[in-house]
Amino acid sequence: MIAITLPDGSVKHFDAGVTPMDVAKNISEGFARNVISASFNGATIESSTPLTEDGSLVLYTWNNDEGKKAFWHSSAHILAQALEQLYPGIKLTIGPAIENGFYYDVDFGDKTISEKDLKEIEDKMQEIARGKHEFSIRESSKADALDYYKKQGNEYKVELIENLEDGTITFCDHDTFTDLCRGGHIPNTGIVKAIKLMSIAGAYWRGDEKNKQLTRIYGISFPKQKDLTEYLELLEQAKQRDHRKLGKELELFTFSQKVGQGLPLWLPKGAALRERLENFLKKAQKKAGYEMVVTPHIGQKELYVTSGHYAKYGADSFQPIHTPAEGEEFLLKPMNCPHHCEIYNSKPWSYKDLPKRFAEFGTVYRYEQSGELHGLTRVRGFTQDDAHIFCTPDQLDEEFKKVIDLVLYVFGSLGFENFYTQVSLRDPEKPEKYIGSLENWEKAEKAIINAAESKGLDYKIEYGEAAFYGPKLDFMVKDALGRSWQLGTIQVDYNLPERFELEYKGSDNETHRPVMIHRAPFGSMERFVAILLEHTGGNFPLWLMPEQVSILSLSEKYEKYSQKVLNLLENDEIRALVDNRNETIGKKIREAEMNKIPYMLIVGEQEEKDGTVSVRKHGEGDLGVMTPKAFSELIQQAVKDESKEFNV
């Protein structure tokens, strides 16, 4: 008999050789019908894998991320089988599950494929799925695996196998199809009820531009047709909220090939929006005791060698800038933290001076490959709302919790109510990825977990997601469409203070190393604005809107009165404009609605006579007639209600 421990802590005993599906049926036949994958002692297994020793078993359904991963990975196998049947002689490479769906990279040789072929491939996939073919894993020797793919002439699979150790190689079989695979599948193809192939793209083998470009086919699948229908409806909503589309319509930003890929140009309305966001955070930071600093856009290469950034990211940086002096090299700044370390190093400090909180809206530069650039969410030049806190170890817990309060204030003020946190720790199996001592890492990780628990945050731990110099607390926000985004991060760092030899004099009159906290509530201004655009659909909070009010004149005769109303609003610091074009009032209203302007004031003969305005609200319609002063007070109160003061 073996003991199987379930997630709720209960222990069940079974004969050796029992499968995860047998365990599921023992719990409930209804539950078993929904089980699609499993893990045993932390390792992904099949639901049909015999269990021969004591251990912890987790059973996954479609409602678990791990279940979706197995579902979509299995769907990638179905796609690969369909492609082999429709296009004999192709070379398959890899087909993983991704955040939403799956893809498969294929070398089609001299065959061509386009979007119009996707329906035929979908139909073939559905035909295979209906066969209810079971997925099964079998082991293979390295020699046999190499021989199999060499006979096929598939150099891609051969390359993958050559990098694997004998005894760790497995294949997945279903129906007449077999593929090199580590495992993690649903019980059979029949569980896949709805399939949609989304797009075709080019992808270099192993992401290297020097390698051959393959054809990547993206798809998604579901256990029910209604799930696919709902997903496609959500995608249509996402298209309407695409920040690139809205940014153009609202005249916030643009791009120019002459300026360069991934380098956004902020238009007047967008620049004003950014400035309001910056001022909003600066005001809160000042209350929290931060001091603003400014650092240059370049730095000597040696600065980033010292920090460790060059060793980790040098290959992804812009090439060094060479000066007329021999051997002198500079880099476009990829990070602000090394500069802030040198600001700290500019004078001696006592424990009485700490904590020191240096903040900067600092622009940094990273060389992202052109295929990875995407609107404002992936750019080559971006501005971080960066700050670094230098404190004593005794101050770390309190300072970290204060930063959490600041991040929560930012989210609350901008309408991000649905979020969870992720404690990103180092991968204990790959210590070479990180700098610093194990002791420092353990202290930093413990500090983050303690602060998260103290603040009552809903958090989960992710191993291997830490920065190379320290663990972090990431805020994962769900937008109005239910999509998750990483927004805001706080990191504890014992390593950079050592590398830069930062010191302070303690109460014992001895020198000590400060602890460093990295934090960025926005992350980057570019990415934050993009996510905020898509979350709100361009309907920003009233205090943030580029234009809060549009005064719509029924004709040029009322231009003077319109200007009087405008002056009153501007005196009360309300952002307004007058639309006195020779157009119908209906067209003016439609355009104001399209431009997401929150309020419209209609002025004509009666309004001028009575000293009033007719008020319309975006998306709601008429609010009635009131005096300009009463309207101004309404707006000011609405802004006050939205933008609460930050309390330290």
Side-chain angles (χ1 to χ4, degrees):
M1 298 287 282
I2 58 173
I4 302 298
T5 304
L6 299 174
D8 64 0
S10 63
V11 178
K12 290 178 175 284
H13 294 86
F14 299 91
D15 291 333
V18 68
T19 68
M21 187 57 74
D22 292 333
V23 176
K25 289 177 180 177
N26 179 268
I27 296 170
S28 158
E29 286 286 345
F31 174 62
R33 284 193 290 272
N34 292 313
V35 169
I36 56 179
S37 66
S39 67
F40 189 64
N41 290 335
T44 299
I45 60 172
E46 310 298 299
S47 62
S48 57
T49 302
L51 308 178
T52 58
E53 61 184 11
D54 296 348
S56 298
L57 177 68
V58 184
L59 299 165
Y60 300 122
T61 70
W62 170 257
N63 294 323
N64 306 116
D65 289 342
E66 295 85 352
K68 287 184 174 69
K69 182 178 180 181
F71 193 95
W72 286 329
H73 175 58
S74 304
S75 300
H77 281 295
I78 298 173
L79 169 60
Q81 182 185 5
L83 292 172
E84 275 198 343
Q85 291 183 9
L86 292 170
Y87 305 95
I90 62 173
K91 297 175 184 178
L92 301 174
T93 66
I94 58 171
I98 53 178
E99 184 178 2
N100 284 304
F102 55 90
Y103 69 77
Y104 216 111
D105 286 348
V106 184
D107 183 347
F108 280 90
D110 57 2
K111 299 178 177 68
T112 57
I113 186 171
S114 66
E115 302 276 349
K116 65 180 176 60
D117 299 309
L118 295 183
K119 181 64 171 66
E120 182 185 13
I121 301 169
E122 279 177 20
D123 292 342
K124 176 60 72 173
M125 291 178 69
Q126 293 281 15
E127 178 187 321
I128 294 167
R130 285 193 293 269
K132 297 184 179 180
H133 308 291
E134 292 186 357
F135 289 94
S136 62
I137 289 288
R138 61 181 167 86
E139 296 180 355
S140 171
S141 69
K142 188 169 186 176
D144 286 347
L146 285 170
D147 182 62
Y148 177 78
Y149 283 114
K150 283 178 179 177
K151 285 179 178 176
Q152 282 192 0
N154 189 328
E155 65 272 24
Y156 306 102
K157 297 287 191 183
V158 168
E159 183 180 328
L160 292 174
I161 294 168
E162 284 175 341
N163 292 322
L164 299 176
E165 292 183 14
D166 207 349
T168 66
I169 298 170
T170 54
F171 280 76
C172 176
D173 301 322
H174 76 270
D175 191 22
T176 60
F177 180 75
T178 187
D179 200 359
L180 179 71
C181 183
R182 283 196 293 262
H185 304 90
I186 58 180
N188 66 75
T189 62
I191 296 172
V192 180
K193 301 293 188 184
I195 300 167
K196 179 68 176 176
L197 297 182
M198 306 301 297
S199 62
I200 296 176
Y204 293 106
W205 170 236
R206 293 198 147 180
D208 189 337
E209 292 176 326
K210 297 175 183 175
N211 291 334
K212 183 172 181 178
Q213 190 173 61
L214 307 171
T215 300
R216 176 172 293 179
I217 301 178
Y218 286 98
I220 196 164
S221 56
F222 294 91
K224 296 178 182 177
Q225 181 61 43
K226 77 176 186 64
D227 293 335
L228 174 59
T229 302
E230 290 172 359
Y231 176 77
L232 294 177
E233 289 173 353
L234 197 66
L235 277 187
E236 188 55 39
Q237 290 184 50
K239 285 181 184 177
Q240 298 306 313
R241 288 172 177 258
D242 190 311
H243 75 276
R244 295 167 298 178
K245 171 180 177 288
L246 291 173
K248 183 177 181 179
E249 291 173 356
L250 300 179
E251 298 180 359
L252 300 178
F253 59 87
T254 188
F255 289 90
S256 163
Q257 288 296 323
K258 288 183 179 179
V259 173
Q261 286 185 300
L263 300 171
L265 300 170
W266 290 89
L267 303 176
K269 290 180 184 178
L273 178 80
R274 273 184 56 140
E275 184 179 23
R276 276 189 289 280
L277 282 170
E278 288 186 14
N279 290 340
F280 157 74
L281 187 55
K282 284 178 180 177
K283 184 178 179 181
Q285 285 179 165
K286 186 174 182 180
K287 277 191 163 188
Y290 288 82
E291 299 172 281
M292 296 301 297
V293 297
V294 178
T295 61
H297 289 247
I298 64 174
Q300 279 205 100
K301 176 183 169 183
E302 189 60 33
L303 177 70
Y304 309 112
V305 171
T306 300
S307 69
H309 288 101
Y310 188 78
K312 291 289 180 180
Y313 303 117
D316 299 321
S317 300
F318 286 93
Q319 291 302 299
I321 302 166
H322 297 275
T323 72
E326 186 175 348
E328 191 173 56
E329 289 184 316
F330 285 77
L331 291 177
L332 286 172
K333 179 173 61 173
M335 290 280 186
N336 296 305
C337 32
H339 297 250
H340 290 192
C341 286
E342 287 302 291
I343 289 177
Y344 180 90
N345 252 344
S346 65
K347 62 176 286 188
W349 302 99
S350 159
Y351 73 98
K352 295 179 181 179
D353 301 315
L354 301 185
K356 295 302 295 181
R357 308 179 186 97
F358 297 138
E360 175 181 19
F361 285 88
T363 302
V364 298
Y365 304 88
R366 316 261 177 87
Y367 183 74
E368 302 285 358
Q369 292 188 21
S370 58
E372 295 177 338
L373 299 173
H374 182 81
L376 292 182
T377 60
R378 199 76 179 262
V379 291
R380 288 175 171 169
F382 55 95
T383 302
Q384 293 180 306
D385 60 320
D386 233 346
H388 298 94
I389 302 167
F390 302 89
C391 63
T392 70
D394 290 342
Q395 295 168 333
L396 175 59
D397 181 65
E398 182 182 357
E399 287 300 310
F400 198 95
K401 287 189 284 192
K402 284 180 178 178
V403 177
I404 291 175
D405 290 338
L406 181 61
V407 173
L408 297 182
Y409 167 71
V410 169
F411 287 178
S413 298
L414 290 160
F416 290 113
E417 305 291 347
N418 188 2
F419 66 89
Y420 67 92
T421 52
Q422 175 178 302
V423 178
S424 300
L425 307 180
R426 70 196 186 287
D427 183 347
E429 304 297 321
K430 297 179 181 177
E432 70 279 0
K433 289 174 58 178
Y434 311 99
I435 62 175
S437 69
L438 179 61
E439 179 189 6
N440 282 345
W441 272 91
E442 288 176 345
K443 286 192 291 186
E445 290 175 347
K446 184 178 179 181
I448 290 181
I449 292 172
N450 287 344
E453 289 182 348
S454 176
K455 282 293 179 182
L457 296 179
D458 174 20
Y459 74 90
K460 67 176 182 177
I461 292 177
E462 290 288 346
Y463 291 96
E465 294 297 317
F468 75 93
Y469 50 79
K472 54 183 181 170
L473 181 68
D474 292 323
F475 289 79
M476 315 301 291
V477 173
K478 281 198 172 184
D479 68 12
L481 298 181
R483 300 169 301 179
S484 290
W485 303 88
Q486 189 263 306
L487 272 184
T489 185
I490 319 172
Q491 303 165 1
V492 176
D493 184 1
Y494 282 83
N495 292 310
L496 285 188
E498 283 192 1
R499 295 176 80 96
F500 281 93
E501 299 181 341
L502 307 184
E503 295 179 344
Y504 68 90
K505 187 165 285 188
S507 58
D508 57 2
N509 219 30
E510 298 292 328
T511 57
H512 301 271
R513 290 261 186 265
V515 186
M516 191 172 173
I517 299 175
H518 306 243
R519 53 109 282 208
F522 291 150
S524 88
M525 298 299 294
E526 285 71 15
R527 188 167 177 274
F528 190 86
V529 168
I531 294 168
L532 187 61
L533 258 175
E534 298 196 3
H535 177 58
T536 62
N539 297 304
F540 297 119
L542 183 59
W543 66 268
L544 189 58
M545 287 296 298
E547 292 159 345
Q548 296 167 315
V549 183
S550 180
I551 303 168
L552 311 180
S553 175
L554 285 175
S555 78
E556 294 179 2
K557 291 191 295 182
Y558 312 110
E559 183 176 347
K560 187 175 180 181
Y561 180 63
S562 298
Q563 192 63 44
K564 180 180 178 181
V565 173
L566 175 66
N567 292 340
L568 184 147
L569 296 179
E570 288 183 337
N571 286 340
D572 289 337
E573 298 186 349
I574 295 170
R575 296 182 292 279
L577 57 88
V578 172
D579 184 352
N580 58 5
R581 295 173 300 154
N582 187 24
E583 299 285 356
T584 65
I585 193 65
K587 183 175 181 179
K588 291 180 181 181
I589 290 172
R590 283 194 301 274
E591 290 185 3
E593 289 279 358
M594 287 175 59
N595 290 328
K596 319 287 187 185
I597 297 176
Y599 290 93
M600 290 149 270
L601 303 184
I602 299 170
V603 295
E605 181 179 359
Q606 192 63 45
E607 286 78 16
E608 182 180 41
K609 179 181 176 183
D610 297 341
T612 60
V613 291
S614 295
V615 183
R616 287 182 62 91
K617 189 174 182 181
H618 171 64
E620 294 185 18
D622 291 332
L623 295 186
V625 176
M626 61 186 75
T627 65
K629 188 62 181 174
F631 174 74
S632 175
E633 290 170 354
L634 181 150
I635 293 289
Q636 290 177 77
Q637 186 60 49
V639 168
K640 186 177 180 181
D641 291 341
E642 282 184 353
S643 52
K644 302 292 185 184
E645 291 290 320
F646 178 60
N647 295 315
V648 179

